[in-house]
Each structure stands twice: as C-alpha cells, then as structure tokens.
Coordinates of all heavy atoms in Angstrom, one line a residue:
M1 N -247.6 -168.3 16.4 CA -247.9 -169.2 17.4 C -246.7 -169.8 18.1 O -245.7 -170.1 17.4 CB -248.8 -170.4 16.8 CG -249.2 -171.4 17.8 SD -250.5 -172.4 17.1 CE -250.9 -173.3 18.6
F2 N -246.7 -170.0 19.4 CA -245.6 -170.5 20.1 C -245.6 -172.0 20.1 O -246.6 -172.7 20.1 CB -245.6 -170.1 21.6 CG -245.6 -168.6 21.8 CD1 -246.7 -167.9 22.2 CD2 -244.5 -167.9 21.4 CE1 -246.7 -166.5 22.4 CE2 -244.5 -166.5 21.6 CZ -245.6 -165.8 22.0
S3 N -244.4 -172.6 20.0 CA -244.3 -174.1 20.1 C -244.4 -174.5 21.6 O -244.2 -173.7 22.5 CB -243.0 -174.6 19.6 OG -241.9 -174.2 20.4
K4 N -244.8 -175.7 21.8 CA -245.0 -176.2 23.2 C -243.7 -176.3 23.9 O -243.7 -176.4 25.1 CB -245.8 -177.5 23.2 CG -245.2 -178.6 22.5 CD -246.1 -179.8 22.5 CE -245.6 -180.9 21.6 NZ -246.5 -182.0 21.4
E5 N -242.6 -176.3 23.2 CA -241.3 -176.4 23.9 C -240.7 -175.0 24.2 O -239.8 -174.9 25.0 CB -240.2 -177.1 23.0 CG -240.5 -178.6 22.9 CD -241.6 -179.0 21.9 OE1 -241.8 -178.2 21.0 OE2 -242.2 -180.0 22.1
E6 N -241.2 -173.9 23.6 CA -240.6 -172.6 23.7 C -240.5 -172.0 25.1 O -239.5 -171.4 25.4 CB -241.4 -171.7 22.7 CG -240.5 -170.5 22.3 CD -241.1 -169.8 21.1 OE1 -242.0 -170.4 20.4 OE2 -240.7 -168.7 20.8
Y7 N -241.5 -172.2 25.9 CA -241.6 -171.6 27.2 C -241.8 -172.5 28.3 O -242.1 -172.2 29.4 CB -242.7 -170.5 27.2 CG -242.4 -169.3 26.3 CD1 -243.1 -169.2 25.1 CD2 -241.4 -168.4 26.7 CE1 -242.8 -168.1 24.3 CE2 -241.1 -167.3 25.8 CZ -241.8 -167.2 24.7 OH -241.5 -166.2 23.8
G8 N -241.6 -173.8 28.1 CA -241.8 -174.8 29.1 C -243.2 -175.2 29.2 O -244.1 -174.7 28.4
Y9 N -243.5 -176.2 30.0 CA -244.8 -176.7 30.2 C -245.1 -177.2 31.6 O -244.4 -178.1 32.1 CB -245.0 -177.9 29.2 CG -246.5 -178.3 29.0 CD1 -247.3 -177.6 28.1 CD2 -247.0 -179.3 29.7 CE1 -248.6 -177.9 27.9 CE2 -248.3 -179.6 29.6 CZ -249.1 -178.9 28.7 OH -250.4 -179.3 28.5
N10 N -246.0 -176.6 32.3 CA -246.4 -177.0 33.6 C -245.2 -177.1 34.6 O -245.1 -178.0 35.4 CB -247.2 -178.3 33.6 CG -248.6 -178.1 33.1 OD1 -249.1 -177.0 33.1 ND2 -249.2 -179.2 32.8
G11 N -244.3 -176.2 34.4 CA -243.1 -176.2 35.3 C -241.9 -177.1 34.8 O -240.9 -177.1 35.5
W12 N -242.1 -177.8 33.7 CA -241.1 -178.6 33.1 C -240.5 -177.9 31.9 O -241.0 -177.0 31.4 CB -241.7 -180.0 32.7 CG -242.1 -180.8 33.9 CD1 -243.3 -180.7 34.5 CD2 -241.4 -181.8 34.6 NE1 -243.4 -181.6 35.6 CE2 -242.2 -182.3 35.6 CE3 -240.1 -182.3 34.4 CZ2 -241.8 -183.3 36.5 CZ3 -239.7 -183.3 35.3 CH2 -240.5 -183.8 36.3
T13 N -239.3 -178.4 31.5 CA -238.6 -177.8 30.3 C -239.5 -177.8 29.1 O -239.5 -176.8 28.4 CB -237.4 -178.7 30.0 OG1 -236.5 -178.6 31.1 CG2 -236.7 -178.2 28.8
N14 N -240.3 -178.8 28.8 CA -241.1 -178.9 27.6 C -242.2 -179.9 27.9 O -242.2 -180.6 28.8 CB -240.3 -179.2 26.4 CG -239.5 -180.4 26.5 OD1 -240.0 -181.4 27.0 ND2 -238.3 -180.4 25.9
W15 N -243.1 -180.0 26.9 CA -244.3 -180.9 27.0 C -243.8 -182.3 27.1 O -244.3 -183.1 27.8 CB -245.2 -180.7 25.8 CG -246.5 -181.5 25.9 CD1 -247.6 -181.2 26.5 CD2 -246.6 -182.9 25.4 NE1 -248.5 -182.2 26.4 CE2 -247.9 -183.2 25.7 CE3 -245.8 -183.7 24.7 CZ2 -248.5 -184.5 25.4 CZ3 -246.4 -185.0 24.3 CH2 -247.7 -185.3 24.7
D16 N -242.8 -182.7 26.2 CA -242.4 -184.1 26.2 C -241.8 -184.5 27.5 O -242.0 -185.7 28.0 CB -241.4 -184.3 25.1 CG -242.0 -184.2 23.7 OD1 -243.1 -184.6 23.5 OD2 -241.4 -183.5 22.8
T17 N -241.0 -183.7 28.2 CA -240.5 -184.0 29.5 C -241.6 -184.2 30.5 O -241.6 -185.1 31.3 CB -239.5 -182.9 30.0 OG1 -238.5 -182.8 29.0 CG2 -238.8 -183.2 31.3
W18 N -242.5 -183.2 30.6 CA -243.7 -183.3 31.4 C -244.5 -184.6 31.2 O -244.8 -185.3 32.1 CB -244.6 -182.0 31.2 CG -245.9 -182.2 31.9 CD1 -246.2 -181.9 33.2 CD2 -247.1 -182.5 31.2 NE1 -247.6 -182.1 33.4 CE2 -248.1 -182.5 32.2 CE3 -247.4 -182.9 29.9 CZ2 -249.5 -182.8 31.9 CZ3 -248.8 -183.2 29.6 CH2 -249.8 -183.2 30.6
N19 N -244.7 -184.9 29.9 CA -245.5 -186.0 29.6 C -244.9 -187.3 30.0 O -245.6 -188.2 30.6 CB -245.7 -186.0 28.0 CG -246.6 -187.2 27.6 OD1 -246.1 -188.2 27.1 ND2 -247.9 -187.0 27.7
V20 N -243.6 -187.5 29.8 CA -242.9 -188.7 30.3 C -243.0 -188.8 31.8 O -243.4 -189.9 32.3 CB -241.5 -188.8 29.8 CG1 -240.7 -189.9 30.4 CG2 -241.5 -189.0 28.2
A21 N -242.7 -187.8 32.5 CA -242.7 -187.8 34.0 C -244.1 -188.1 34.5 O -244.3 -188.8 35.4 CB -242.2 -186.4 34.5
L22 N -245.1 -187.5 33.8 CA -246.5 -187.7 34.2 C -246.9 -189.2 34.1 O -247.5 -189.8 35.0 CB -247.4 -186.8 33.4 CG -248.9 -186.9 33.7 CD1 -249.2 -186.2 35.0 CD2 -249.7 -186.3 32.6
W23 N -246.6 -189.8 32.9 CA -246.9 -191.2 32.7 C -246.2 -192.1 33.7 O -246.8 -193.1 34.2 CB -246.6 -191.6 31.3 CG -247.7 -191.2 30.3 CD1 -247.8 -190.1 29.5 CD2 -248.9 -192.0 30.1 NE1 -249.0 -190.2 28.8 CE2 -249.7 -191.3 29.1 CE3 -249.4 -193.2 30.6 CZ2 -250.9 -191.7 28.7 CZ3 -250.7 -193.6 30.1 CH2 -251.4 -192.9 29.2
I24 N -245.0 -191.8 34.0 CA -244.2 -192.7 34.9 C -244.8 -192.6 36.3 O -245.0 -193.6 37.0 CB -242.7 -192.3 34.9 CG1 -242.1 -192.6 33.5 CG2 -242.0 -193.1 36.0 CD1 -242.0 -194.1 33.1
D25 N -245.0 -191.4 36.8 CA -245.3 -191.1 38.2 C -246.8 -191.2 38.5 O -247.2 -191.2 39.7 CB -244.7 -189.8 38.7 CG -243.2 -189.9 38.9 OD1 -242.7 -191.1 39.0 OD2 -242.6 -188.9 38.9
N26 N -247.7 -191.2 37.5 CA -249.1 -191.3 37.8 C -249.8 -192.6 37.5 O -251.0 -192.8 37.6 CB -249.9 -190.2 37.0 CG -249.7 -188.8 37.6 OD1 -249.5 -188.7 38.8 ND2 -249.7 -187.8 36.8
D27 N -248.9 -193.6 37.2 CA -249.4 -195.0 37.1 C -248.7 -195.7 38.2 O -247.5 -195.9 38.3 CB -249.0 -195.6 35.7 CG -249.4 -197.0 35.6 OD1 -250.6 -197.3 35.6 OD2 -248.4 -197.8 35.6
E28 N -249.5 -196.2 39.2 CA -248.9 -196.7 40.4 C -248.0 -197.9 40.2 O -246.9 -197.9 40.8 CB -250.0 -197.1 41.4 CG -249.4 -197.5 42.8 CD -250.4 -197.7 43.8 OE1 -251.6 -197.4 43.7 OE2 -250.0 -198.2 44.9
P29 N -248.3 -198.9 39.4 CA -247.3 -200.0 39.2 C -246.0 -199.5 38.5 O -244.9 -199.9 38.9 CB -248.0 -200.9 38.2 CG -249.5 -200.7 38.4 CD -249.6 -199.2 38.7
T30 N -246.1 -198.5 37.6 CA -244.9 -198.0 37.0 C -244.1 -197.1 38.0 O -242.9 -197.2 38.1 CB -245.3 -197.1 35.8 OG1 -246.1 -197.9 34.9 CG2 -244.0 -196.7 35.0
Y31 N -244.8 -196.4 38.8 CA -244.2 -195.6 39.8 C -243.4 -196.5 40.8 O -242.3 -196.2 41.2 CB -245.2 -194.7 40.6 CG -244.7 -194.0 41.8 CD1 -243.9 -192.9 41.7 CD2 -245.0 -194.5 43.1 CE1 -243.5 -192.2 42.8 CE2 -244.5 -193.9 44.2 CZ -243.7 -192.7 44.1 OH -243.3 -192.1 45.2
R32 N -244.1 -197.6 41.2 CA -243.4 -198.5 42.2 C -242.2 -199.1 41.5 O -241.2 -199.3 42.2 CB -244.4 -199.5 42.7 CG -245.4 -199.0 43.6 CD -246.4 -200.1 44.0 NE -247.5 -199.6 44.8 CZ -247.5 -199.6 46.1 NH1 -246.5 -200.1 46.8 NH2 -248.5 -199.1 46.7
Y33 N -242.3 -199.5 40.2 CA -241.2 -200.1 39.5 C -240.1 -199.1 39.5 O -238.9 -199.4 39.7 CB -241.6 -200.5 38.1 CG -240.6 -201.1 37.2 CD1 -239.7 -202.1 37.7 CD2 -240.4 -200.6 35.9 CE1 -238.7 -202.6 36.9 CE2 -239.4 -201.2 35.1 CZ -238.6 -202.1 35.6 OH -237.6 -202.7 34.8
R34 N -240.4 -197.8 39.2 CA -239.3 -196.7 39.1 C -238.6 -196.6 40.5 O -237.4 -196.5 40.6 CB -239.9 -195.4 38.8 CG -238.9 -194.3 38.9 CD -239.3 -192.9 38.8 NE -240.2 -192.4 39.7 CZ -239.9 -191.8 40.9 NH1 -238.7 -191.8 41.4 NH2 -240.9 -191.2 41.6
R35 N -239.4 -196.7 41.6 CA -238.8 -196.6 42.9 C -237.8 -197.7 43.2 O -236.9 -197.6 43.9 CB -239.9 -196.5 44.0 CG -240.8 -195.3 43.8 CD -240.5 -194.1 44.5 NE -240.3 -194.4 45.9 CZ -240.0 -193.5 46.8 NH1 -240.0 -192.2 46.4 NH2 -239.8 -193.8 48.0
R36 N -238.1 -198.9 42.6 CA -237.2 -200.1 42.9 C -236.1 -200.2 41.9 O -235.1 -200.8 42.1 CB -238.0 -201.4 42.8 CG -239.0 -201.6 43.9 CD -239.6 -203.0 43.8 NE -240.1 -203.4 42.5 CZ -241.4 -203.2 42.0 NH1 -242.2 -202.6 42.8 NH2 -241.7 -203.6 40.9
Y37 N -236.2 -199.5 40.7 CA -235.3 -199.7 39.6 C -233.9 -199.1 40.0 O -232.9 -199.7 39.6 CB -235.8 -198.9 38.4 CG -235.1 -199.1 37.1 CD1 -235.4 -200.1 36.3 CD2 -234.1 -198.2 36.7 CE1 -234.7 -200.3 35.1 CE2 -233.4 -198.3 35.5 CZ -233.8 -199.4 34.7 OH -233.1 -199.5 33.5
C38 N -233.8 -198.0 40.7 CA -232.5 -197.4 41.0 C -232.5 -197.0 42.4 O -233.5 -196.6 43.0 CB -232.4 -196.2 40.1 SG -230.8 -195.4 40.0
G39 N -231.4 -197.1 43.1 CA -231.3 -196.7 44.5 C -231.6 -195.3 44.7 O -231.5 -194.4 43.8
A40 N -232.0 -195.0 45.9 CA -232.3 -193.6 46.3 C -231.2 -192.6 46.0 O -230.0 -192.9 46.3 CB -232.6 -193.5 47.8
G41 N -231.5 -191.6 45.3 CA -230.6 -190.5 45.0 C -229.6 -190.9 43.9 O -228.6 -190.2 43.7
A42 N -229.8 -192.1 43.3 CA -228.8 -192.6 42.3 C -229.2 -192.3 40.8 O -228.6 -192.8 39.9 CB -228.6 -194.1 42.5
W43 N -230.3 -191.6 40.6 CA -230.7 -191.3 39.2 C -229.8 -190.3 38.6 O -229.4 -189.3 39.2 CB -232.1 -190.7 39.2 CG -233.2 -191.8 39.5 CD1 -233.8 -191.9 40.7 CD2 -233.7 -192.8 38.6 NE1 -234.7 -193.0 40.6 CE2 -234.6 -193.5 39.4 CE3 -233.4 -193.1 37.3 CZ2 -235.3 -194.6 38.8 CZ3 -234.1 -194.2 36.8 CH2 -235.0 -194.9 37.5
N44 N -229.5 -190.5 37.3 CA -228.8 -189.5 36.5 C -229.5 -189.6 35.1 O -230.5 -190.4 34.9 CB -227.3 -189.8 36.3 CG -227.0 -191.2 35.7 OD1 -227.7 -191.6 34.8 ND2 -226.0 -191.8 36.2
A45 N -229.1 -188.7 34.2 CA -229.8 -188.6 32.9 C -229.8 -189.9 32.2 O -230.8 -190.3 31.6 CB -229.2 -187.5 32.1
T46 N -228.7 -190.6 32.2 CA -228.6 -191.9 31.4 C -229.5 -192.9 32.0 O -230.2 -193.6 31.2 CB -227.1 -192.4 31.4 OG1 -226.3 -191.4 30.9 CG2 -227.0 -193.7 30.7
R47 N -229.6 -193.1 33.3 CA -230.4 -194.1 33.9 C -231.9 -193.7 33.7 O -232.7 -194.6 33.5 CB -230.1 -194.2 35.4 CG -228.9 -194.9 35.7 CD -228.7 -195.0 37.2 NE -227.5 -195.8 37.4 CZ -226.7 -195.6 38.5 NH1 -227.0 -194.7 39.4 NH2 -225.6 -196.4 38.6
A48 N -232.2 -192.4 33.8 CA -233.6 -192.0 33.6 C -234.1 -192.3 32.2 O -235.2 -192.9 32.0 CB -233.8 -190.5 33.9
E49 N -233.2 -192.0 31.2 CA -233.6 -192.3 29.8 C -233.7 -193.8 29.6 O -234.7 -194.2 29.0 CB -232.6 -191.7 28.9 CG -232.9 -191.9 27.4 CD -231.9 -191.3 26.5 OE1 -230.9 -190.7 26.9 OE2 -232.2 -191.3 25.2
S50 N -232.8 -194.6 30.1 CA -232.8 -196.0 29.9 C -234.1 -196.6 30.5 O -234.8 -197.4 29.9 CB -231.6 -196.6 30.5 OG -231.7 -198.0 30.4
F51 N -234.5 -196.2 31.7 CA -235.7 -196.6 32.4 C -236.9 -196.3 31.5 O -237.8 -197.1 31.3 CB -235.8 -196.1 33.8 CG -237.1 -196.4 34.4 CD1 -237.3 -197.6 35.0 CD2 -238.1 -195.5 34.5 CE1 -238.5 -197.9 35.6 CE2 -239.3 -195.8 35.1 CZ -239.5 -197.0 35.7
C52 N -237.0 -195.0 31.1 CA -238.2 -194.6 30.4 C -238.3 -195.2 29.0 O -239.4 -195.6 28.6 CB -238.2 -193.0 30.3 SG -238.4 -192.2 31.8
R53 N -237.2 -195.4 28.4 CA -237.3 -196.1 27.1 C -237.6 -197.6 27.3 O -238.2 -198.2 26.4 CB -236.0 -195.9 26.3 CG -235.8 -194.5 25.8 CD -234.6 -194.4 25.0 NE -234.4 -193.0 24.5 CZ -234.8 -192.5 23.4 NH1 -235.6 -193.3 22.6 NH2 -234.6 -191.3 23.1
E54 N -237.3 -198.2 28.4 CA -237.7 -199.6 28.7 C -239.2 -199.6 28.9 O -239.9 -200.5 28.4 CB -237.0 -200.1 29.9 CG -237.4 -201.5 30.3 CD -236.7 -201.9 31.6 OE1 -235.6 -201.6 31.9 OE2 -237.4 -202.6 32.4
V55 N -239.7 -198.7 29.7 CA -241.1 -198.7 30.0 C -242.0 -198.3 28.7 O -243.0 -198.8 28.5 CB -241.4 -197.7 31.1 CG1 -242.9 -197.6 31.4 CG2 -240.8 -198.3 32.4
F56 N -241.5 -197.3 28.0 CA -242.2 -196.8 26.8 C -241.3 -196.9 25.6 O -240.8 -195.8 25.1 CB -242.6 -195.3 27.0 CG -243.6 -195.1 28.2 CD1 -243.2 -194.4 29.3 CD2 -244.8 -195.7 28.1 CE1 -244.1 -194.2 30.3 CE2 -245.7 -195.5 29.1 CZ -245.4 -194.8 30.3
P57 N -241.0 -198.0 25.0 CA -240.1 -198.2 23.9 C -240.7 -197.4 22.6 O -239.9 -197.0 21.8 CB -240.0 -199.7 23.6 CG -241.2 -200.2 24.3 CD -241.6 -199.3 25.5
N58 N -242.0 -197.2 22.6 CA -242.5 -196.5 21.4 C -243.1 -195.1 21.8 O -243.9 -194.6 21.1 CB -243.7 -197.3 20.8 CG -243.2 -198.7 20.3 OD1 -242.2 -198.7 19.6 ND2 -243.9 -199.7 20.7
G59 N -242.6 -194.6 22.9 CA -243.1 -193.3 23.4 C -244.3 -193.5 24.3 O -244.9 -194.6 24.3
T60 N -244.7 -192.5 25.0 CA -245.9 -192.6 25.8 C -247.1 -192.7 24.9 O -247.1 -192.4 23.7 CB -246.1 -191.4 26.7 OG1 -246.3 -190.2 25.9 CG2 -244.8 -191.2 27.6
P61 N -248.2 -193.2 25.5 CA -249.4 -193.5 24.6 C -249.9 -192.2 23.9 O -250.6 -192.3 22.9 CB -250.4 -194.0 25.6 CG -249.6 -194.7 26.7 CD -248.4 -193.8 26.8
D62 N -249.7 -191.0 24.5 CA -250.2 -189.9 23.8 C -249.2 -188.9 23.2 O -249.6 -187.8 22.9 CB -251.1 -189.1 24.8 CG -250.4 -188.6 26.1 OD1 -249.2 -189.0 26.2 OD2 -251.0 -187.9 26.9
M63 N -248.0 -189.4 22.9 CA -247.1 -188.6 22.2 C -247.6 -188.4 20.7 O -247.9 -189.4 20.1 CB -245.7 -189.2 22.2 CG -245.0 -189.0 23.5 SD -243.3 -189.6 23.5 CE -242.6 -188.7 24.9
D64 N -247.7 -187.2 20.3 CA -248.3 -187.0 19.0 C -247.3 -186.8 17.8 O -247.7 -186.6 16.7 CB -249.2 -185.7 19.0 CG -248.4 -184.5 19.4 OD1 -247.2 -184.6 19.8 OD2 -249.0 -183.4 19.4
T65 N -246.0 -187.0 18.1 CA -245.0 -187.0 17.1 C -244.3 -188.3 17.1 O -244.5 -189.1 18.1 CB -244.0 -185.9 17.3 OG1 -243.4 -186.1 18.6 CG2 -244.6 -184.5 17.2
P66 N -243.5 -188.7 16.1 CA -242.8 -190.0 16.2 C -242.1 -190.1 17.5 O -241.5 -189.1 18.0 CB -241.9 -189.9 15.0 CG -242.5 -188.9 14.1 CD -243.2 -187.9 14.9
A67 N -242.2 -191.3 18.1 CA -241.6 -191.5 19.5 C -240.2 -191.1 19.6 O -239.8 -190.4 20.5 CB -241.8 -192.9 19.9
E68 N -239.4 -191.4 18.6 CA -238.0 -191.1 18.7 C -237.7 -189.6 18.7 O -236.9 -189.1 19.5 CB -237.2 -191.7 17.5 CG -235.7 -191.6 17.6 CD -235.1 -192.2 18.9 OE1 -235.6 -193.3 19.3 OE2 -234.2 -191.7 19.4
Q69 N -238.5 -188.8 18.0 CA -238.4 -187.4 18.0 C -238.8 -186.8 19.3 O -238.2 -186.0 19.9 CB -239.2 -186.8 16.9 CG -239.2 -185.3 16.8 CD -240.1 -184.7 15.7 OE1 -240.5 -185.4 14.9 NE2 -240.3 -183.4 15.8
S70 N -239.9 -187.3 19.9 CA -240.4 -186.8 21.2 C -239.5 -187.2 22.3 O -239.2 -186.4 23.2 CB -241.8 -187.4 21.4 OG -242.8 -186.9 20.5
M71 N -239.0 -188.4 22.3 CA -238.1 -188.9 23.4 C -236.8 -188.1 23.3 O -236.2 -187.9 24.3 CB -237.9 -190.4 23.3 CG -239.2 -191.2 23.5 SD -239.9 -191.0 25.2 CE -239.3 -192.5 26.0
E72 N -236.4 -187.7 22.1 CA -235.1 -187.0 22.0 C -235.2 -185.6 22.6 O -234.2 -185.0 23.0 CB -234.7 -186.9 20.5 CG -234.1 -188.1 20.0 CD -232.9 -188.7 20.7 OE1 -232.0 -187.9 21.1 OE2 -232.9 -189.9 20.9
S73 N -236.4 -185.0 22.7 CA -236.5 -183.7 23.3 C -236.8 -183.7 24.8 O -236.9 -182.6 25.4 CB -237.6 -182.9 22.6 OG -238.9 -183.5 22.8
V74 N -236.8 -184.9 25.4 CA -237.0 -185.0 26.8 C -235.7 -184.5 27.6 O -234.6 -184.9 27.2 CB -237.4 -186.4 27.2 CG1 -237.4 -186.6 28.8 CG2 -238.7 -186.8 26.7
D75 N -235.9 -183.8 28.6 CA -234.8 -183.4 29.4 C -234.6 -184.4 30.5 O -235.2 -184.4 31.6 CB -235.0 -182.0 30.1 CG -233.9 -181.5 30.9 OD1 -233.0 -182.3 31.4 OD2 -233.8 -180.2 31.0
W76 N -233.7 -185.4 30.2 CA -233.6 -186.6 31.1 C -232.9 -186.2 32.4 O -233.3 -186.7 33.5 CB -232.7 -187.6 30.4 CG -233.4 -188.1 29.2 CD1 -233.0 -187.9 27.9 CD2 -234.6 -188.9 29.1 NE1 -233.8 -188.5 27.0 CE2 -234.9 -189.1 27.7 CE3 -235.5 -189.3 30.0 CZ2 -236.0 -189.8 27.3 CZ3 -236.6 -190.0 29.6 CH2 -236.8 -190.2 28.2
Q77 N -232.1 -185.2 32.4 CA -231.5 -184.7 33.7 C -232.6 -184.1 34.6 O -232.5 -184.3 35.8 CB -230.3 -183.7 33.5 CG -229.6 -183.4 34.7 CD -229.0 -184.6 35.4 OE1 -228.2 -185.4 34.8 NE2 -229.3 -184.9 36.7
E78 N -233.5 -183.4 34.0 CA -234.6 -182.8 34.8 C -235.4 -183.9 35.5 O -235.8 -183.8 36.6 CB -235.4 -181.9 33.9 CG -236.5 -181.2 34.7 CD -237.3 -180.2 33.9 OE1 -237.3 -180.3 32.6 OE2 -238.1 -179.4 34.5
I79 N -235.7 -184.9 34.7 CA -236.4 -186.0 35.3 C -235.6 -186.7 36.4 O -236.2 -187.0 37.5 CB -236.8 -187.0 34.2 CG1 -238.0 -186.4 33.3 CG2 -237.3 -188.4 34.7 CD1 -238.4 -187.2 32.1
A80 N -234.3 -187.0 36.1 CA -233.5 -187.6 37.2 C -233.4 -186.7 38.4 O -233.6 -187.3 39.5 CB -232.1 -187.8 36.6
D81 N -233.3 -185.4 38.3 CA -233.2 -184.5 39.4 C -234.5 -184.6 40.2 O -234.5 -184.6 41.4 CB -232.9 -183.1 39.0 CG -231.5 -182.9 38.5 OD1 -230.7 -183.8 38.7 OD2 -231.3 -181.9 37.8
N82 N -235.7 -184.6 39.5 CA -237.0 -184.7 40.1 C -237.1 -186.0 40.9 O -237.6 -186.0 42.0 CB -238.1 -184.5 39.1 CG -239.4 -184.6 39.7 OD1 -240.1 -185.6 39.7 ND2 -239.9 -183.4 40.1
W83 N -236.7 -187.1 40.3 CA -236.8 -188.4 41.0 C -235.9 -188.5 42.2 O -236.2 -189.1 43.2 CB -236.5 -189.5 40.0 CG -237.6 -189.7 39.0 CD1 -238.9 -189.1 39.0 CD2 -237.6 -190.5 37.8 NE1 -239.6 -189.4 37.9 CE2 -238.8 -190.3 37.2 CE3 -236.6 -191.3 37.3 CZ2 -239.1 -191.0 36.0 CZ3 -236.9 -191.9 36.1 CH2 -238.2 -191.8 35.4
N84 N -234.7 -187.9 42.1 CA -233.8 -187.9 43.2 C -234.4 -187.1 44.4 O -234.2 -187.5 45.5 CB -232.4 -187.3 42.8 CG -231.6 -188.3 42.0 OD1 -231.7 -189.5 42.2 ND2 -230.8 -187.8 41.1
A85 N -235.0 -186.0 44.1 CA -235.7 -185.2 45.1 C -236.9 -185.9 45.8 O -237.2 -185.7 46.9 CB -236.2 -183.9 44.5
D86 N -237.4 -186.9 45.0 CA -238.6 -187.7 45.5 C -238.2 -188.8 46.5 O -239.0 -189.3 47.2 CB -239.3 -188.3 44.3 CG -240.6 -189.0 44.7 OD1 -241.4 -188.5 45.5 OD2 -240.9 -190.1 44.2
E87 N -236.9 -189.1 46.5 CA -236.5 -190.2 47.4 C -236.4 -189.9 48.8 O -236.3 -188.8 49.3 CB -235.1 -190.7 46.9 CG -235.1 -191.3 45.5 CD -236.0 -192.5 45.3 OE1 -236.2 -193.3 46.2 OE2 -236.6 -192.6 44.2

C-alpha cells in the first residue's frame, strides 16, 4: 500500500500540506486573517509555518497523527509560494 505522502495529494506535496492549505483558505475569517497577516508577495516558509502554527497550534481539526508529526511534514515553502501567487 502507498503512503499518502509518497505521490503527493491533490496537486500538493503531501496530504498534510494540502490539509493545512485547505483549512486556511476555505474558512473565510481565517483566509481574511491570512491576507492581512503578511504583505503581498512577502510569504516565505518561515512566515507560513509561524502563521499556520498560530492558527492551528494543535494541528488542523482532522489531522489523524500527532499534530507535531503532521505539521513537520508540511511543505511550508509550497504553501508560501501558493499564497504569494494568490496576492
């Protein structure tokens, strides 16, 4: 059986990256907060991780592994790049 990280997930590096991006961008208040949090085009991996850990200190509501393990496998640069493209 293949792991959910092995071949990517819905166009993202892995399920955890997709899941974090989905929770941030599909909840309107959180999406608006994200848009105000960092200037246009100013996202980088460190800022994206800091923001997401602030919003989800215990991981997203549906992460099925310990939050620290799931959050460690997130591709923060991929999220930052996606958000920069959204500006």
